[in-house]
Amino acid sequence: MTSPRHALPLAFVPLRTAHLAGKKAAGVKEVVSASALVITSGKLVACDALMQPERDPFVRPLPAGTYPVYLYVARSGSAIGFAELRLRDTAVARFEMATIPGQDAATLGERESFVYPVGTGLGSFADSAAIQRLRAADAALQTADARANYYDSRLRDELARHGGLWTDHRPDPGAADNVIVFRSGDGDGSYPTWFGLDEAGEVACVVTSFRVFKEPETPEDKLRKVAEVFAPLIAAIERDIGVTLKARGFAGPEAVYKAKSDEGELKLTYVRDGLCFEVQGWANGPYLGTTHFRWMRVRTTLDVGNEHHKAGVPLALESALAVGDRAYGHSAKIGATYAEHWDALERAVLHYLPVKPVKPKK
């Protein structure tokens, strides 16, 4: 099945898998059991219950029952990274974006997700009926004392009994349903929720990410980032050198990227009859590092700038290595120089890069 284009909580899968196996995953300080959520109506709500208790429940219903809630606490910062409502201990085969009425996951762009806003530093899971009870309890509190607020009056002490991380809150102590309230990662923000489905298509869990655990990158993600870093440089090369090369019969450019950990490489090639003009670029993370220009024919190369004097062409160029932001200016300088000295340069290059004769097969 094709993966959706929108963001997925890929970091959650190995953490949950390790927890199911009784192990502690890397980067996890602890997995806290935050009591159990009672689902009565089948309509699940994930929200900041103090900021947006009127939020609609998710479109996908859940079977009535009592399900444990687990909080994945990161070793770094001791913040909650994931909150999981676990319906089954089966493996997650795929994710489905949790949507409320009016939302369509098919409209999401790459790396996008639907979220709920947090303004009190708290997230929650609740049955729709329990959220309605919380709204009613908050309204009654305000009616009795306009200066009172629900957090100080009802939640502060409850959270304190569990280290400030979570509480099993019952807006109506006489009712069965409850609201599991927990700290939202590093605090306020906007956070997405997904349904984790097993191989049979049944809901194994519902998970909210508070963007604490680093999401693993796919090879495609890494190459995409490398391409984004080099895009301005390629545009500068096309503008300042590409026009001249294409006017002389060169085809291209063909761009090839490599991603190596946090670094990236670019090879941009223009070709004509076996003669190549190459631009090689290196980047460190999101920053352009160096750019190197050279000619190539078969296995013989001629670096631009530091060896043209050997070919007898007096070009006023600095070293072939242009560092940092200078790479853009250097490409423009080379482009202008090539246009001005093209005829002499091409003759010198062709002389300096002879075609090696092919040895006859025995």
Side-chain angles (χ1 to χ4, degrees), residues 291-308:
T291 308
H292 189 181
F293 302 86
R294 71 177 190 175
W295 288 93
M296 185 177 73
R297 196 174 195 184
V298 191
R299 294 183 179 179
T300 307
T301 63
L302 176 66
D303 290 337
V304 170
N306 59 356
E307 291 192 26
H308 274 90

Side-chain angles (χ1 to χ4, degrees), residues 39-64:
I39 299 292
T40 54
S41 70
K43 299 177 180 178
L44 177 68
V45 179
C47 68
D48 180 338
L50 299 184
M51 176 183 174
Q52 197 183 34
E54 73 280 2
R55 188 172 180 84
D56 290 327
F58 295 125
V59 174
R60 176 187 273 272
L62 296 179

Side-chain angles (χ1 to χ4, degrees), residues 192-221:
T193 302
W194 296 265
F195 289 100
L197 309 181
D198 61 20
E199 288 288 355
E202 300 293 333
V203 178
C205 63
V206 184
V207 57
T208 296
S209 170
F210 294 113
R211 309 183 192 278
V212 171
F213 291 106
K214 184 178 180 181
E215 292 293 311
E217 289 186 306
T218 65
E220 292 77 15
D221 290 334

Side-chain angles (χ1 to χ4, degrees), residues 269-290:
T269 307
Y270 296 83
V271 181
R272 187 194 70 192
D273 301 327
L275 180 64
C276 301
F277 183 83
E278 289 188 347
V279 182
Q280 291 181 313
W282 292 267
N284 185 7
Y287 305 105
L288 180 66
T290 60

